[in-house]
Amino acid sequence: MTDTADFSDTRYNQLAEQLADAIRRGTLAPGSRLPSVRRSAQTWSVSINTVVAAYRRLEDRGFIEARPQSGFYVRAALPALTHQPHEQPQTPAAEPADEVLDLIDKVFASQIDPTYTNLSLACPQSNDFYPTGKLGRIMSSLLRRQPNLIGQYALPPGSPALRQQIARRALTLGMILEPADITITHGCMEALQLALRVTTKPGDSVGLETPTYFYLLPMLASLGLKAVEIPTDPQTGLSLDVLEMLLTEKRLNAVIAMPTAQNPLGFTMPLAAKKRLARLMNDHHVPLIEDGLYAEIQFGATLSPAVKSFDRDGWILFCTSFTKTLAPDFRIGWVEGGRFADKLHKLKAVSSMAESALLSQTLTVFLESGGYDHHLRALRKRYAAQVEQARALIARHFPQGTRATQPAGGFVIWVDFPPGVDCVTLFHQLLKDKICMTPGQLYSPSGRYSNGLRLSCCYVFDTRYISAMIRIGERACEMCGLPPGLAETQEQAEESRTS
């Protein structure tokens, strides 16, 4: 993954990024000592203060650590998940377990309570993450010039101008879309629900990644649909071999997947896998509902294309919204329905009818201005940096043996604790501390992943957030009896003895 986490082009940020890249590539190995501050200043032709600032930045991000009277050393890397957590074969089709649905209700109740420190809700809670000022000015200008907007409906399939802008933007993810095939929805959740309703009927079986986005589970239950969990690797995504077997055996009526910057694991499927996924769905005539909610928050230098871009015969429906990147309260999402586009238009009309003409036009003007691209560039850098910072906090304060994902985009991290940590119990303990996190069992219809959890990095990393992360680590350490931090490598132990 290409990290673009520096916020400016200042010299110390450039130096910190060069050293971080050397650490990632293994040029500077875990446990190795960095050159002294004075020597680095001479090597890089910068001031001593610049080197100190660069080293401190790397320390904050968890790449290096200072040892008294010894210098700076490369930290042992936080162990990454290299295979599916507690990998198991696919499960028989079944409705989500009642205990999982009940737990989701409890998490939601604490998420909306402002007295809790929330590390679970995957929605930025500060205006720092959104261009609120620009959107407000556009809206005010529109109301002055077109006051009649507030008395209009943006009838299905939605604002033609907005659908045109969406089709234009879709090119950045490799999709060539017709505006006429796009339906504007009330957020991504409605897009997903409409997509399920036009492709399935009660009693049908839907393939899901496991772990998957947990609000899909009550959605499936409300529609009378059964879930089939498909093993999902935290680096490469959905097991296509298992998927092909299920499709061949005609055990699936539809599939929901998030192939790019997946929630909760953060992976992006390799390009070859995306092409194979598209081919499988088209060959077997089974719809794939592609959730692209985080697809524009990829950290790489180039964006990985959507699976939809390889759709041959219209069996892939692409769903997303602007809620995570631009304006949550606008609740503007969209779905491109492929061969189901006409059915989606009609179902939207009898489902929730129109969206706001004013909000649709405000978003259209912002997209036309090019402001969205500028905003996204800054947002990707910020989330990449905050993911690094959160991983550093996990490495320092969570029990030894903890593993965590290295997301390729988005702002969520999946954590896998060592044996002895039950995350449902941990969830209830943390509620007493007024801290909300989401235990891993929420992300599986059958309630797997008892020692996993998802953390969101879309908050201001202030004292409150950092203290909550530390408290999670303390509670987990108490539960499993292990000390916090990474175990020393052999090289670090030897260095400590000789320093």
Side-chain angles (χ1 to χ4, degrees):
M1 181 188 77
T2 301
D3 185 291
T4 55
D6 53 305
F7 288 123
S8 68
D9 293 326
T10 56
R11 190 68 186 94
Y12 80 87
N13 273 309
Q14 294 173 356
L15 177 56
E17 192 54 43
Q18 288 174 292
L19 292 170
D21 188 54
I23 292 170
R24 292 190 201 95
R25 288 185 283 106
T27 305
L28 292 171
S32 62
R33 187 175 184 271
L34 269 66
S36 69
V37 170
R38 187 175 298 278
R39 182 177 173 184
S40 289
Q42 294 170 347
T43 300
W44 297 91
S45 299
V46 295
S47 70
I48 288 177
N49 287 340
T50 296
V51 177
V52 170
Y55 281 12
R56 292 303 182 195
R57 181 165 179 78
L58 289 170
E59 189 177 20
D60 289 342
R61 291 169 61 189
F63 284 104
I64 65 175
E65 61 183 355
R67 299 185 189 174
Q69 300 179 335
S70 181
F72 290 90
Y73 290 78
V74 178
R75 289 179 62 91
L78 176 66
L81 294 177
T82 55
H83 57 82
Q84 185 207 0
H86 311 299
E87 185 170 351
Q88 298 182 34
Q90 72 281 0
T91 56
E95 294 182 0
D98 289 341
E99 56 267 28
V100 173
L101 299 178
D102 290 343
L103 187 57
I104 289 173
D105 289 339
K106 291 178 182 177
V107 169
F108 183 71
S110 59
Q111 282 181 337
I112 61 177
D113 188 332
T115 65
Y116 283 75
T117 301
N118 199 332
L119 281 73
S120 64
L121 187 63
C123 187
Q125 297 293 293
S126 169
N127 286 342
D128 292 349
F129 296 95
Y130 303 114
T132 53
K134 293 180 180 178
L135 291 172
R137 287 191 292 274
I138 291 171
M139 188 181 298
S140 297
S141 175
L142 285 170
L143 281 174
R144 285 195 302 271
R145 292 183 289 109
Q146 304 177 53
N148 60 316
L149 277 175
I150 209 165
Q152 294 180 1
Y153 287 115
L155 294 170
S159 162
L162 178 56
R163 287 185 288 126
Q164 182 66 49
Q165 285 300 312
I166 287 171
R168 182 184 66 82
R169 283 212 56 81
L171 292 170
T172 64
L173 294 173
M175 297 182 289
I176 300 177
L177 307 182
E178 291 293 333
D181 293 333
I182 295 170
T183 300
I184 304 299
T185 63
H186 197 65
C188 190
M189 287 297 286
E190 187 187 35
L192 293 168
Q193 185 181 84
L194 293 177
L196 281 169
R197 290 173 64 187
V198 299
T199 58
T200 63
K201 61 183 183 302
D204 279 353
S205 297
V206 178
L208 296 176
E209 298 158 325
T210 183
T212 189
Y213 172 53
F214 65 85
Y215 275 126
L216 290 179
L217 307 185
M219 181 186 293
L220 291 181
S222 71
L223 296 174
L225 299 172
K226 298 177 182 179
V228 178
E229 297 181 74
I230 304 174
T232 304
D233 185 274
Q235 295 184 352
T236 58
L238 200 67
S239 172
L240 297 182
D241 290 338
V242 172
L243 175 62
E244 184 171 15
M245 179 188 68
L246 292 169
L247 292 171
T248 301
E249 295 174 356
K250 301 187 182 304
R251 293 168 56 188
L252 297 177
N253 302 102
V255 174
I256 298 181
M258 189 179 278
T260 306
Q262 193 252 14
N263 175 10
L265 296 177
F267 65 79
T268 290
M269 293 181 74
L271 187 61
K274 287 185 172 183
K275 291 180 179 179
R276 183 184 172 193
L277 176 57
R279 186 170 62 252
L280 284 172
M281 307 312 293
N282 279 273
D283 287 349
H284 289 273
H285 295 179
V286 174
L288 169 67
I289 300 170
E290 180 178 6
D291 185 345
L293 190 58
Y294 298 91
E296 290 193 298
I297 318 178
Q298 299 180 51
F299 300 156
T302 57
L303 299 185
S304 175
V307 176
K308 175 67 181 177
S309 65
F310 308 112
D311 190 12
R312 186 180 68 230
D313 300 321
W315 287 98
I316 300 175
L317 301 83
F318 188 87
C319 303
T320 189
S321 80
F322 296 96
T323 58
K324 303 295 184 184
T325 57
L326 196 57
D329 191 57
F330 279 26
R331 301 302 303 158
I332 293 180
W334 58 274
V335 52
E336 200 283 355
R339 60 176 50 240
F340 303 94
D342 289 340
K343 291 183 178 180
L344 281 166
H345 293 344
K346 294 174 183 176
L347 185 58
K348 169 65 178 177
V350 299
S351 175
S352 57
M353 187 53 76
E355 295 302 320
S356 164
L358 174 60
L359 299 182
S360 295
Q361 185 61 18
T362 299
L363 185 52
T364 300
V365 173
F366 186 74
L367 295 177
E368 287 176 340
S369 72
Y372 191 42
D373 291 306
H374 176 76
H375 169 66
L376 280 176
R377 284 193 292 271
L379 202 61
R380 290 172 188 137
K381 291 180 180 181
R382 180 164 189 178
Y383 284 142
Q386 296 202 172
V387 164
E388 293 274 17
Q389 290 172 319
R391 282 174 52 83
L393 289 168
I394 292 167
R396 291 172 188 164
H397 302 290
F398 285 28
Q400 289 184 9
T402 298
R403 299 179 299 163
T405 51
Q406 177 68 71
F411 44 70
V412 297
I413 296 176
W414 181 271
V415 176
D416 204 26
F417 283 114
V421 179
D422 180 273
C423 284
V424 173
T425 302
L426 180 62
F427 164 74
H428 289 292
Q429 289 183 353
L430 289 167
L431 289 183
K432 299 175 184 177
D433 299 322
K434 292 289 186 177
I435 297 171
C436 179
M437 60 80 168
T438 43
Q441 286 172 284
L442 269 67
Y443 299 88
S444 162
S446 58
R448 297 174 182 172
Y449 314 121
S450 61
N451 66 335
L453 65 84
R454 188 197 74 176
L455 295 172
S456 294
C457 308
C458 56
Y459 304 96
V460 176
F461 274 39
D462 54 14
T463 302
R464 183 180 181 184
Y465 182 93
I466 293 171
S467 297
M469 288 282 283
I470 293 172
R471 186 56 179 155
I472 292 176
E474 290 172 345
R475 288 280 195 182
C477 287
E478 293 168 2
M479 195 174 292
C480 66
L482 292 171
L486 300 173
E488 282 191 325
T489 64
Q490 184 175 350
E491 293 84 357
Q492 287 175 315
E494 180 63 27
E495 184 67 37
S496 296
R497 286 194 295 270
T498 58
S499 61

